[in-house]
Amino acid sequence: MPEYKAPIRDLKFVMQELLDCDSHYQKLGYEDASLDMIDAIIAEAAKFTEQVVAPINKIGDEQGCTWNEGEVTTPDGFKEAYQQYVEGGWPTLAQNVDFGGQGLPHSLSTAITELFSSANHSFAMYPGLSHGALATIEAHGSDMHKNIFMPKLVEGSWTGTMCLTEPHCGTDLGMLRTKAEVNDDGSYSLTGTKIFISAGEHDLSDNIVHIVIARIPGSPEGSRGISLFIVPKFNVTDAGEISDRNAVSCGSIEHKMGINANATCVINFDGAKGYLIGEVNRGLHCMFTFMNAARLGVATEGVAAAEASFQGALSYAKDRLQMRSLSGVKNPEGPADAIIVHPDVRRMLLTQKSIAEGGRALIAYLSQLVDVGHASPDKADEEEKASAESKLALLTPIAKAFLTELGLECTSHGVQVFGGHGYIKEWGMEQLMRDTKISCLYEGTTGIQALDLLGRKVLGSKGEILKPFGAEITAFCVENSANEAMGEFIKPIMAYAGDWQKMTETLGMKAMKNPDEIGGASVDYLMYSGYFTLAYFWAKMAKVAQDKLLINNEDSEFYQAKIKTARFYFQRILPRAKGHASCLENGSDSIMALDADDFSF
């Protein structure tokens, strides 16, 4: 099993040097988030993930969760690790101080989340969903809801879930059948079955708070008639104390491709007591608070997987001796050279490195935009918040889909670097690949994210949503246009930016004549957007590295590696975008040419 080491140096580079988190936090009023405090938190998180969370990763995969008459037991070590997680105050990091949180920035919490996910994907998912539940209750719940549920969720002694999917409907939530009937006391009685509920039942926390969508009888059909509810596993008193068992049960757990140590549950509601959140029939609107938070969390899983697989592959490539270098012997004292000397192994390692580090920069940037959205009016004005919201709306589906697809690719490279050994369980590389595939599916598949991006966001706004982020990229290019050292990065970005704009306009014209053009082009459009977006962040990282090298030679190897990795990305990864551009330019005719009956076997 690869030995995970938290990428502390690169985290600090992204947060402190690339995105200047110190100025960002001070401007937004996070006085406690000093650089010394950030360094201390990251160091403690690194220690905890390396020494406590990572060692139970393989055990969790081998043992999985067990179900017995509705009760779920997590693998050996998980309950103890979670207790240490709570005692260490990790759930409280970026939560509201009014409910026991530390009030630190969301972006700092996101950086820590990556470490947990890289070390142990299954473990990280248990507390991960609680963040979305908290955000939903805080944004849309009543004062009573907040006072009853938030303190325990913030503390981590209770955990949260998101209950959307039903056996007959996945993405099409308007088809749901779970019903909610009003009780005499104003609460609701929920009846129905939800499936694929991550962390829906387990033995880590004292209570589980389900955020559930359901339809109140008499409500409109489809998505317009969805309402949102809080449904706890154990009923709760007005003082926030656990009372009797609610009519919520786990019917079974799924036997899955990966994330075996996280319980994916069938949850039955048999007249379970619940509380309406927000307005009747506005549940889907409220649920997007949870879903948007979850999408950024899943995007982080893609980065975490790329990092973990890169670390395992790099360590192996330096030790494994196979064949001699094509350019001459590199290890004359040994029977063969280490495989890291071979160009194709370098190609795979650099692909992993460029995706992990580029993705880390994108996630950190997005999480700072979330910080702006959370800021008080005196710290960030409406114009700043509107710009941040626009960029988040555009980039969230890109980050979620693009980074998980490439994260999965990176885990495949990890297996490939190991060769036959990568296919064997004991090395842990195939587990990373199995665990990561779900990230491409969670919170809307790649196709769903692509439709959201192109259809709802870009074409739905007539291209207006592109302007704030596009203006930021243009400003960066203009600022560095006379810098010869940046020429190899600035010129391609400007060319790809122009093509992105033309592509969008062309698709808009095609879609007016044939709506299938949106579906036919959407994934290619998203992937093009992803490669272009990461190129922008790699150019920014190269600029920071160049500036640091001009000041002094301290840590010069790190900065030189940044520039070389940026060059690799621009020369060997970014050109993939041109292939996606060609595909979408060819239109949807070939995709839709076969009738359904023509598909045969």
Side-chain angles (χ1 to χ4, degrees):
M1 195 74 189
E3 182 181 359
Y4 174 69
K5 292 293 182 184
I8 293 176
R9 178 66 185 92
D10 201 60
L11 271 178
K12 290 183 179 181
F13 171 79
V14 169
M15 294 178 68
Q16 300 175 10
E17 299 175 60
L18 177 68
L19 298 176
D20 189 11
C21 65
D22 188 36
S23 297
H24 171 75
Y25 293 153
Q26 299 311 308
K27 179 182 182 298
L28 296 182
Y30 293 107
E31 288 85 2
D32 291 340
S34 64
L35 290 182
D36 287 343
M37 173 69 80
I38 292 168
D39 288 348
I41 290 173
I42 291 174
E44 284 302 310
K47 185 190 303 182
F48 184 68
T49 51
E50 292 169 4
Q51 298 178 6
V52 178
V53 180
I56 58 173
N57 188 30
K58 184 177 181 181
I59 295 169
D61 183 59
E62 292 173 346
Q63 292 185 0
C65 294
T66 56
W67 179 94
N68 182 36
E69 296 184 355
E71 302 294 326
V72 173
T73 303
T74 53
D76 290 348
F78 270 60
K79 191 170 185 177
E80 294 77 10
Y82 186 77
Q83 187 59 40
Q84 291 183 56
Y85 172 82
V86 172
E87 291 171 354
W90 297 109
T92 70
L93 202 63
Q95 298 301 331
N96 192 325
V97 294
D98 293 339
F99 301 100
Q102 298 181 50
L104 290 168
H106 174 85
S107 53
L108 177 57
S109 178
T110 299
I112 303 306
T113 296
E114 183 204 322
L115 307 188
F116 281 98
S117 189
S118 282
N120 191 326
H121 188 162
S122 291
F123 180 88
M125 288 177 62
Y126 285 105
L129 287 163
S130 297
H131 299 312
L134 277 162
T136 304
I137 294 171
E138 186 166 15
H140 305 290
S142 66
D143 288 342
M144 180 192 75
H145 297 146
K146 295 173 186 178
N147 292 329
I148 290 175
F149 293 104
M150 287 189 64
K152 297 291 187 180
L153 284 168
V154 168
E155 180 183 81
S157 57
W158 296 359
T159 54
T161 77
M162 175 169 57
C163 297
L164 305 181
T165 306
E166 300 185 6
H168 60 283
C169 69
T171 301
D172 192 355
L173 299 175
M175 294 174 62
L176 68 84
R177 294 174 184 163
T178 299
K179 65 180 180 179
E181 298 174 298
V182 67
N183 297 321
D184 292 340
D185 63 358
S187 66
Y188 285 78
S189 178
L190 276 80
T191 302
T193 296
K194 300 290 184 178
I195 63 170
F196 305 158
I197 309 306
S198 300
E201 171 62 27
H202 55 78
D203 59 352
L204 304 184
S205 63
D206 298 331
N207 202 0
I208 300 173
V209 180
H210 302 286
I211 306 297
V212 187
I213 57 170
R215 194 184 311 279
I216 297 171
S219 292
E221 294 298 316
S223 61
R224 293 186 301 112
I226 294 175
S227 296
L228 189 63
F229 302 87
I230 304 171
V231 186
K233 173 182 173 180
F234 289 97
N235 286 313
V236 181
T237 68
D238 291 345
E241 300 299 326
I242 288 175
S243 60
D244 59 325
R245 178 69 184 256
N246 203 356
V248 179
S249 63
C250 177
S252 64
I253 57 174
E254 305 293 351
H255 302 281
K256 310 186 295 290
M257 176 180 176
I259 56 166
N260 292 327
N262 190 273
T264 304
C265 304
V266 173
I267 299 293
N268 297 315
F269 300 94
D270 299 305
K273 186 175 183 178
Y275 307 89
L276 177 71
I277 310 178
E279 300 176 20
V280 172
N281 300 332
R282 292 282 290 167
L284 205 55
H285 168 76
C286 297
M287 199 69 199
F288 269 109
T289 300
F290 201 138
M291 293 173 70
N292 285 332
R295 284 169 178 169
L296 286 179
V298 175
T300 303
E301 291 175 358
V303 174
E307 175 65 34
S309 189
F310 169 63
Q311 289 190 18
L314 178 62
S315 178
Y316 186 81
K318 288 181 175 180
D319 291 340
R320 178 69 170 176
L321 303 181
Q322 290 281 280
M323 303 185 298
R324 291 297 187 185
S325 167
L326 297 174
S327 57
V329 174
K330 301 296 188 293
N331 178 31
E333 303 302 318
D337 292 327
I339 62 173
I340 197 170
V341 306
H342 303 309
D344 191 55
V345 173
R346 291 287 186 98
R347 174 187 63 83
M348 291 186 283
L349 292 173
L350 277 166
T351 298
Q352 293 174 307
K353 178 178 171 64
S354 66
I355 299 308
E357 295 178 10
R360 181 173 297 121
L362 172 56
I363 293 295
Y365 172 84
L366 292 176
S367 63
Q368 283 199 354
L369 295 178
V370 174
D371 291 342
V372 173
H374 288 173
S376 59
D378 62 315
K379 301 297 183 182
D381 60 32
E382 290 305 312
E383 185 176 345
E384 288 177 288
K385 289 193 173 189
S387 177
E389 183 179 340
S390 178
K391 292 173 184 178
L392 273 170
L394 172 72
L395 295 173
T396 295
I398 295 173
K400 190 278 168 187
F402 178 74
L403 293 179
T404 55
E405 289 288 349
L406 266 64
L408 180 63
E409 177 191 336
C410 289
T411 64
S412 177
H413 288 318
V415 172
Q416 195 80 0
V417 168
F418 275 69
H421 291 286
Y423 205 67
I424 305 302
K425 281 182 177 291
E426 69 181 274
W427 292 94
M429 301 306 286
E430 57 84 38
Q431 180 192 337
L432 283 170
M433 193 173 183
R434 287 186 289 106
D435 285 351
T436 302
K437 179 57 189 175
I438 191 61
S439 300
C440 301
L441 311 177
Y442 271 148
E443 311 312 327
T445 62
T446 299
I448 294 299
Q449 301 297 325
L451 281 173
D452 177 51
L453 172 67
L454 180 57
R456 194 165 74 89
K457 303 285 181 57
V458 175
L459 298 183
S461 71
K462 297 182 180 179
E464 288 297 311
I465 199 170
L466 297 173
K467 290 183 178 179
F469 186 57
E472 178 181 327
I473 294 174
T474 299
F476 173 79
C477 290
V478 170
E479 181 183 344
N480 292 281
S481 59
N483 185 340
E484 291 185 11
M486 286 294 293
E488 62 180 305
F489 307 121
I490 297 300
K491 291 177 182 177
I493 288 178
M494 294 177 68
Y496 277 88
D499 291 343
W500 198 28
Q501 183 67 35
K502 292 175 186 175
M503 188 188 309
T504 303
E505 293 171 356
T506 301
L507 285 172
M509 297 298 293
K510 286 184 176 181
M512 292 174 66
K513 298 177 181 179
N514 179 9
D516 276 337
E517 291 293 340
I518 299 174
S522 58
V523 170
D524 287 302
Y525 184 86
L526 183 144
M527 296 302 288
Y528 182 102
S529 303
Y531 286 118
F532 169 65
T533 299
L534 234 60
Y536 167 60
F537 284 100
W538 266 114
K540 285 174 69 71
M541 288 191 283
K543 177 64 168 59
V544 172
Q546 289 177 1
D547 290 346
K548 292 291 183 180
L549 288 170
L550 290 174
I551 297 171
N552 58 56
N553 290 322
E554 187 176 331
D555 216 1
S556 61
E557 290 184 3
F558 176 85
Y559 296 120
Q560 289 286 2
K562 277 291 176 194
I563 296 168
K564 292 174 182 177
T565 307
R567 187 170 294 128
F568 170 86
Y569 182 88
F570 271 77
Q571 294 184 5
R572 301 302 298 260
I573 303 297
L574 179 58
R576 296 180 182 185
K578 294 180 179 178
H580 289 289
S582 295
C583 288
L584 62 86
E585 285 167 6
N586 288 329
S588 64
D589 288 349
S590 61
I591 296 175
M592 306 303 293
L594 285 179
D595 291 332
D597 291 340
D598 292 334
F599 285 89
S600 59
F601 53 88

